[in-house]
Amino acid sequence: MQLHDDLGQLTYCLNIHPTQSWEAVREALLGPVKRVRQNVCPEAPFGVGLRLSAQALEELRAPEARAELKEILARENYRVVTMNGFPFGPFHGIPVKQAVYQPDWKQRARLDYTCWLADLMAELGVAGDTLSLSTVPGTYKPLAEGAAPAMAENLLKAAAHCVKLARQTQVTIAIALEPEPHCFLETIDETIAFFRDYLYSDAAVARLSELTGLSPEASREALPRHLGVCYDVCHAAVEFEDPAASIEALRAADVPIHKLQLSAALRVPRIDAAKREALAPFCERTYLHQVVVSTAEGLVRYADLPEALADDARTDGEEWRVHFHVPIFVDAIAPFETTQSFLVDILALHRQRPISQHLEVETYTWQVLPENLRTESVEAAISRELTWVERQLA
């Protein structure tokens, strides 16, 4: 969906559907994705946010599988604009929790997976395209001590791979690290510091020059073209970031937002015993649901919702924000609110001055929402989300 007034490309992420294998990706493209397209833009090209696991990507290394993917994209009037390269393994139906960050950027497997995704994206794009590829925020925070140099080295190697792809194909792949609660890159300040000290530093420029043969000047220009941020609105809201200040801080640091993920979290303005009890159904086994609590002494963070609920130190009246992606078209899920107002502010800022050319709705939790909230089909809900975004930007 191409938005008006050069506001970018709107899509949704296929991690909403179980897409562990190439067969499952095919079924999604020919099933729910097609129905969403028919609901929201039946005649126009439809931007697709692919998600390919390592298994699906390996299966697509077969020429006949890639040919079938290209044929489906052409026949259905789909255009790949972004890729979710965050989850490497299974993402639905089994406990994922902190395993979603593995392999992390300390490991060669993450580098190889990302480069193979970039190869496929360049093959699917056309000359002149810039396509975004979101990825894990370095690693899970408990595993991050002393890891920054090794992660930076692998990210610079990935950037060098993208430089070489651009030379060969004229397709630019922009790797976008996605800050997330309880991860190495958690806050916007932490993210800016990592880019400044490790990815855009003089040493990083010299390393990219060594890897690519580019001049120092060309390397300095290439780094932000191929390494930037995926700004997930849910994550930023959970971290109590300020919408305008966080976007401006990234701009001031010259860290580009290659992808803007449109999402919302649970918000409990004043916690009490009844609301604690009402949060229990959201303690599901598949995903981490990090919690950030605003207290008189500052922010307190928990790796998962059950930990926050079990902490006797928490008192009534505090505000809780829970990393549980909820439908973006609702501002309340009784007895809670959502962080929709944060998303409304971000979209208003985007309308005034575009933040990113890739806008991706990412409510991947439909299958694990409490049953009373699943009152319509997934594709009907996704269609409502996309239409809601269009209205916000109209």
Side-chain angles (χ1 to χ4, degrees), residues 320-352:
W320 287 25
R321 296 189 184 182
V322 183
H323 176 218
F324 197 119
H325 287 225
V326 294
I328 64 175
F329 50 74
V330 297
D331 61 4
I333 296 177
F336 313 116
E337 297 181 11
T338 77
T339 60
Q340 187 198 70
S341 63
F342 191 108
L343 177 56
V344 168
D345 288 346
I346 289 288
L347 290 173
L349 292 166
H350 180 74
R351 184 179 178 186
Q352 295 164 13

Side-chain angles (χ1 to χ4, degrees), residues 233-249:
V233 178
C234 167
H235 299 170
V238 169
E239 286 292 334
F240 288 84
E241 301 280 3
D242 177 87
S246 59
I247 297 298
E248 187 52 40

Side-chain angles (χ1 to χ4, degrees), residues 36-53:
V36 170
R37 189 204 67 201
Q38 290 168 341
N39 287 342
V40 299
C41 61
E43 305 300 329
F46 186 65
V48 173
L50 277 181
R51 182 263 158 165
L52 299 175
S53 70

Side-chain angles (χ1 to χ4, degrees), residues 86 96-107 110 136-148 151 178 180-186 190 287-291 301-305 307 323:
F86 198 129
V96 177
K97 298 293 182 178
Q98 62 264 37
V100 74
Y101 310 112
Q102 299 301 318
D104 60 21
W105 273 105
K106 300 192 300 291
Q107 300 176 57
R110 174 61 63 175
V136 294
T139 187
Y140 189 49
K141 200 146 210 165
L143 307 176
E145 186 175 356
M151 292 191 293
E178 183 180 331
E180 179 172 325
H182 211 62
C183 290
F184 170 67
L185 299 184
E186 179 166 8
E190 288 174 343
Y287 307 111
L288 279 183
H289 299 296
Q290 301 94 319
V291 179
R301 296 175 168 87
Y302 297 88
D304 207 356
L305 178 57
E307 294 179 19
H323 176 218

